[in-house]
Coordinates of all heavy atoms in Angstrom, one line a residue:
R128 N 180.1 12.7 -60.8 CA 180.5 11.7 -59.8 C 180.2 10.4 -60.3 O 181.0 9.4 -60.1 CB 179.8 12.0 -58.5 CG 180.4 13.2 -57.7 CD 179.8 13.3 -56.4 NE 178.4 13.7 -56.2 CZ 177.9 14.9 -56.3 NH1 178.7 15.9 -56.3 NH2 176.7 15.1 -56.2
V129 N 179.1 10.2 -61.0 CA 178.6 8.9 -61.5 C 179.7 8.4 -62.6 O 180.1 7.3 -62.5 CB 177.2 8.9 -62.0 CG1 176.9 7.7 -62.8 CG2 176.2 9.1 -60.9
N130 N 180.1 9.3 -63.4 CA 181.0 9.0 -64.5 C 182.4 8.6 -63.9 O 182.9 7.7 -64.4 CB 181.2 10.2 -65.4 CG 180.0 10.4 -66.3 OD1 179.2 9.5 -66.5 ND2 179.9 11.6 -66.9
K131 N 182.9 9.4 -62.9 CA 184.1 8.9 -62.3 C 184.1 7.6 -61.6 O 184.9 6.8 -61.7 CB 184.5 10.0 -61.2 CG 185.0 11.3 -61.7 CD 185.4 12.3 -60.7 CE 185.8 13.6 -61.2 NZ 186.1 14.5 -60.1
T132 N 182.9 7.3 -60.9 CA 182.7 6.0 -60.3 C 182.8 4.9 -61.3 O 183.3 3.8 -61.1 CB 181.4 6.0 -59.5 OG1 181.4 7.0 -58.5 CG2 181.2 4.7 -58.8
K133 N 182.0 5.1 -62.5 CA 182.0 4.1 -63.5 C 183.4 3.9 -64.1 O 183.8 2.8 -64.4 CB 181.1 4.5 -64.6 CG 179.6 4.3 -64.3 CD 178.7 4.8 -65.4 CE 177.2 4.6 -65.1 NZ 176.4 5.1 -66.2
Q134 N 184.2 5.0 -64.2 CA 185.5 4.8 -64.8 C 186.4 4.1 -63.9 O 187.2 3.2 -64.2 CB 186.1 6.2 -65.1 CG 185.5 6.9 -66.2 CD 186.0 8.4 -66.4 OE1 186.8 8.8 -65.5 NE2 185.8 9.0 -67.5
R135 N 186.2 4.3 -62.6 CA 187.1 3.6 -61.5 C 186.7 2.1 -61.6 O 187.6 1.2 -61.6 CB 186.9 4.2 -60.1 CG 187.5 5.5 -59.9 CD 187.3 5.9 -58.5 NE 187.7 7.3 -58.3 CZ 187.0 8.3 -57.8 NH1 185.8 8.0 -57.4 NH2 187.5 9.5 -57.8
K136 N 185.4 1.8 -61.6 CA 184.9 0.5 -61.7 C 185.5 -0.3 -62.9 O 185.9 -1.4 -62.8 CB 183.4 0.4 -61.6 CG 182.9 -1.0 -61.4 CD 181.4 -1.0 -61.3 CE 180.9 -0.5 -60.0 NZ 179.5 -0.6 -59.8
A137 N 185.4 0.5 -64.0 CA 185.9 -0.2 -65.3 C 187.4 -0.4 -65.2 O 187.9 -1.4 -65.7 CB 185.5 0.7 -66.5
G138 N 188.1 0.5 -64.6 CA 189.5 0.3 -64.5 C 189.9 -0.9 -63.6 O 190.8 -1.6 -63.9
K139 N 189.1 -1.0 -62.5 CA 189.3 -2.2 -61.7 C 189.0 -3.5 -62.3 O 189.7 -4.5 -62.1 CB 188.5 -2.0 -60.3 CG 189.0 -1.0 -59.4 CD 188.0 -0.9 -58.2 CE 188.5 0.3 -57.3 NZ 187.6 0.5 -56.1
I140 N 188.0 -3.5 -63.1 CA 187.6 -4.7 -63.9 C 188.7 -5.0 -64.9 O 189.1 -6.2 -65.1 CB 186.2 -4.5 -64.5 CG1 185.1 -4.6 -63.5 CG2 186.0 -5.6 -65.6 CD1 183.8 -4.1 -64.0
A141 N 189.2 -4.0 -65.5 CA 190.3 -4.2 -66.5 C 191.5 -4.7 -65.8 O 192.2 -5.6 -66.4 CB 190.6 -2.9 -67.3
M142 N 191.9 -4.1 -64.8 CA 193.1 -4.7 -64.0 C 192.8 -6.1 -63.6 O 193.8 -7.0 -63.7 CB 193.4 -3.8 -62.8 CG 193.9 -2.4 -63.2 SD 195.4 -2.6 -64.2 CE 196.6 -3.3 -63.1
A143 N 191.7 -6.4 -63.1 CA 191.4 -7.8 -62.7 C 191.5 -8.8 -63.9 O 192.1 -9.9 -63.8 CB 190.0 -7.9 -62.1
A144 N 191.1 -8.3 -65.0 CA 191.2 -9.1 -66.3 C 192.6 -9.4 -66.7 O 193.0 -10.5 -67.1 CB 190.3 -8.5 -67.5
I145 N 193.4 -8.3 -66.6 CA 194.9 -8.4 -66.9 C 195.5 -9.3 -66.0 O 196.3 -10.2 -66.4 CB 195.5 -7.0 -66.9 CG1 195.0 -6.1 -68.0 CG2 197.0 -7.1 -66.9 CD1 195.4 -4.6 -68.0
V146 N 195.2 -9.2 -64.7 CA 195.8 -10.2 -63.7 C 195.4 -11.6 -64.0 O 196.3 -12.6 -63.9 CB 195.5 -9.7 -62.2 CG1 195.9 -10.8 -61.3 CG2 196.2 -8.4 -61.9
A147 N 194.1 -11.8 -64.2 CA 193.7 -13.1 -64.5 C 194.3 -13.7 -65.8 O 194.7 -14.9 -65.8 CB 192.1 -13.1 -64.6
G148 N 194.4 -12.9 -66.8 CA 195.1 -13.3 -68.0 C 196.5 -13.7 -67.7 O 197.1 -14.6 -68.3
G149 N 197.2 -12.9 -67.0 CA 198.5 -13.2 -66.6 C 198.7 -14.5 -65.9 O 199.5 -15.3 -66.1
A150 N 197.8 -14.7 -64.9 CA 197.8 -16.0 -64.2 C 197.5 -17.2 -65.0 O 198.2 -18.2 -64.9 CB 196.7 -15.9 -63.1
I151 N 196.6 -17.1 -66.0 CA 196.3 -18.1 -66.9 C 197.6 -18.4 -67.8 O 197.9 -19.5 -68.1 CB 195.1 -17.8 -67.7 CG1 193.8 -17.8 -66.9 CG2 194.9 -18.7 -69.0 CD1 192.6 -17.3 -67.5
A152 N 198.2 -17.3 -68.3 CA 199.4 -17.5 -69.2 C 200.5 -18.2 -68.3 O 201.2 -19.0 -68.9 CB 199.8 -16.1 -69.7
A153 N 200.7 -17.7 -67.1 CA 201.8 -18.3 -66.3 C 201.5 -19.9 -66.0 O 202.3 -20.7 -66.1 CB 201.8 -17.6 -64.9
G154 N 200.1 -20.1 -65.8 CA 199.8 -21.5 -65.6 C 200.0 -22.4 -66.8 O 200.5 -23.5 -66.8
A155 N 199.7 -21.8 -68.0 CA 200.0 -22.5 -69.3 C 201.4 -22.8 -69.5 O 201.8 -23.9 -69.9 CB 199.3 -21.7 -70.4
L156 N 202.2 -21.7 -69.2 CA 203.6 -21.9 -69.4 C 204.2 -22.9 -68.4 O 205.0 -23.8 -68.7 CB 204.3 -20.6 -69.1 CG 204.2 -19.5 -70.2 CD1 204.8 -18.2 -69.8 CD2 204.8 -20.0 -71.5
A157 N 203.7 -23.0 -67.2 CA 204.2 -23.9 -66.2 C 203.7 -25.4 -66.7 O 204.6 -26.3 -66.5 CB 203.5 -23.7 -64.8

């Protein structure tokens, strides 16, 4: 259960980083 929770949390962090990177890239392009 702990491993699954850590994997979910890591996945959420990765998705947040991807979204933030996309927002930064869009801002730079703008």
Side-chain angles (χ1 to χ4, degrees):
R128 285 192 290 273
V129 167
N130 288 341
K131 284 182 183 177
T132 301
K133 285 182 181 178
Q134 287 175 351
R135 286 186 191 126
K136 189 179 286 186
K139 287 179 182 178
I140 290 170
M142 287 303 296
I145 290 169
V146 169
I151 291 170
L156 290 174

